[in-house]
Amino acid sequence: MFWNEDDAADARPSPDTIVDILFSIACKRIPVDHAYPLSCALRSALPWVADEPRLAVHSIYGAGSQNGWERPEHGEDTLLMVSRRTKLGIRAPATRADELLSTLPGIRLEVAGHALTLGPGKIKPLSQETTIFARYVAMETDAEPEEHFLAAAARTLEAMDIQIRKALCGKTTRLRGPDGIIQTRSLMLAGLTREESIRLQQRGLGPHRLMGCGIFIPHKGIDSLQQQA
């Protein structure tokens, strides 16, 4: 864990060159580990997706654990029940938004043998929150120690002119990829400037963006987590 209490200077956010596009979906269930088959299905529907380096696909996460229901853990045969409110998110250049909004609605994807039909979509600007979180960031090696993972992340962020002030990495998740298992960790960053936050959301961190890795979303905060550490 990195923890620097110095206040971050604020800055004017960058233009909305990258946006999230959220599509309603009709899908009863999908594998919890669906990142690779979902990316394959989208590439089949829209071949240009594979050649757009700034495009990323949010994993379908569903509801949290509550009211006696527990979200299933990752596993080869574990299924996630999908509610009507669940969305499929695609982070893409704003110049691609109209094409995605006009092409994807009505398309039926086959994701690991499960049908997923896309409905209407809408554009959502990137968050200006300065505490952001990625559920999956690909690790350099299997069983990589936390301090090595954070150091590698810091080097990559420094090259993007983003300073780590507060960082907390979390659980390790194994995702099935085209060449075997991809080892990932969750990562939370706080104390960013708004400009840094948006830049990181625009660019992402690490590889496998079409599989939901390195995509940052807003988070409520990590001060309470520090107190529990």
Side-chain angles (χ1 to χ4, degrees), residues 16 18-22 90-91 122-127 218:
D16 290 334
I18 304 291
V19 296
D20 277 332
I21 308 167
L22 306 181
I90 296 178
R91 186 163 291 178
K122 63 179 181 180
I123 294 175
K124 180 182 179 182
L126 299 183
S127 173

Side-chain angles (χ1 to χ4, degrees), residues 56-130:
V57 180
H58 293 267
S59 292
I60 296 172
Y61 197 61
S65 302
Q66 56 189 340
N67 299 328
W69 182 85
E70 294 293 327
R71 188 199 320 279
E73 295 293 331
H74 270 70
E76 290 188 3
D77 302 313
T78 309
L79 295 178
L80 174 69
M81 306 304 292
V82 181
S83 76
R84 294 180 180 178
R85 292 177 295 178
T86 303
K87 308 292 185 184
L88 170 64
I90 296 178
R91 186 163 291 178
T95 54
R96 291 286 196 177
D98 287 344
E99 183 175 1
L100 290 168
L101 288 167
S102 63
T103 304
L104 286 181
I107 284 183
R108 184 179 186 270
L109 305 178
E110 289 289 333
V111 182
H114 297 271
L116 186 155
T117 302
L118 291 160
K122 63 179 181 180
I123 294 175
K124 180 182 179 182
L126 299 183
S127 173
Q128 295 189 25
E129 293 294 329
T130 57

Side-chain angles (χ1 to χ4, degrees), residues 6 11 35 38 40 42 49 52 59 86 89 93 102 106 126 137 139 144 171 178 196 210 218-219 221 229:
D6 291 341
L38 176 59
C40 290
L42 283 170
V49 162
E52 176 51 77
S59 292
T86 303
S102 63
L126 299 183
V137 176
M139 300 164 60
E144 186 175 355
K171 64 181 294 186
E196 287 173 332
L210 293 181
H219 196 276

